Structure formats: C-alpha cells, structure tokens
Amino acid sequence: LNNGGAMAPTPSLPLYVFSYIAQNDTALSSLQAFGGALPTSGWWSAVSSTYGLGAAHHAEAIGAVIPAGTVTDAWMIQYIRQTLAQTGGSLGSGPYHGNLINVLYLPDGVILPDNDATCSKTQGYHNYDYITPDENFIWAVVQRCPSVHGAVQNAMVTGSHEIAEAATDPVPPNGFILP
C-alpha cells in the first residue's frame, strides 16, 4: 500500500543499515553474521527491486551493556546516538548522510515500551527523530521475542521487516506500508 510519501533513502544512492548490538547480547555473533549477509542476500535483492531501492551496505557498532528492564523511545534514540558517536560515526554528515537506517537489537530481558516479555503487543517497530528541522534520523528497534523458530531467528525476521519498512516508509505512515 503506497500512502504517497517519500521513501527513506534517495533510491539512486546506497542504503546504509547500521546495526547496534549491546556487548552483553548473547546473540552478538549471530546478529553480526545476519547484518553482514543482508546486503548481498536474495531477500534484499527482492525488496530493493520491488521498491526501487539502491544497493545496501551494512555497518555495526557494539554498544554499552543494556541492563534488563523496560526502555523508552527517548532512551533508545540516545543509546543509538551515543554509540554512533563513540564509534566515530556521525548522524548529520559523511557517507551515511540521508541514507542511514539505525537498527537497535535489544538483548534478552530488555522490553519495549508498552510491551511485555512475551511480545504480546509488538516485536519491533521503526520511527524517526530529527537531526535538524529538515532532516530525519531513521531508527528501528527489535525486541527478543519467544518463537517456535527461536528468539534469535525471530529477531532476524523482525529486523528484516523493520529495515524494509524503514526504507519504504521512513516517516510513518507516509510511504509504503508492508503487511
């Protein structure tokens, strides 16, 4: 469904997906492998050709320990900004400028706002904040949820979904909406 809004990145430019993984995440190596494989995957090829997106690139940052408990959107945005700054990145300039989707993978025991450990309301979502009044900071978050396929595999499926949505609907609900 196309709501008529612009897509996140400039389609002709590469898309950068920046994954944030806490150093205390027991799935650190699995999530690193997932992120590294994403740009050359058949999944990205299908998504990018369907929605007219450019090539994808992946980078990652290993962030500080995230303690168990419920986090807020403001806390997650600050975590992403601080981790990116500590790793030498920048939100407003450089190769990522304008085509960056920030994805935060929460470790076991960390719960999204208005959710619970069983993920009864959501497994993840994407949103935006502002760098400047005219420039969006696009981010997504994925909670570790129980699944018949395993919580880590489920996080990868949810991460893929949120990346596709963030690329096609950066300022919800103005772009494409995936079912």
Side-chain angles (χ1 to χ4, degrees), residues 73-149:
D73 284 357
W75 184 91
M76 291 183 284
I77 290 168
Q78 187 62 28
Y79 183 89
I80 291 169
R81 288 176 184 259
Q82 286 177 343
T83 303
L84 186 60
Q86 290 169 356
T87 59
S90 170
L91 294 173
S93 63
Y96 310 126
H97 184 66
N99 280 5
L100 174 63
I101 297 173
N102 300 277
V103 184
L104 174 59
Y105 293 92
L106 299 174
D108 285 325
V110 181
I111 300 172
L112 292 171
D114 301 320
N115 207 13
D116 57 35
T118 65
C119 301
S120 63
K121 297 190 178 170
T122 189
Q123 297 179 28
Y125 53 88
H126 77 281
N127 211 335
Y128 67 98
D129 193 30
Y130 292 103
I131 298 171
T132 68
D134 298 322
E135 188 173 3
N136 295 328
F137 163 68
I138 303 160
W139 63 281
V141 61
V142 176
Q143 181 176 322
R144 200 66 47 82
C145 300
S147 167
V148 296
H149 303 292

Side-chain angles (χ1 to χ4, degrees), residues 32-51:
Q32 287 175 308
F34 165 71
L38 186 129
T40 58
S41 69
W43 173 82
W44 181 255
S45 179
V47 168
S48 62
S49 65
T50 299
Y51 293 99

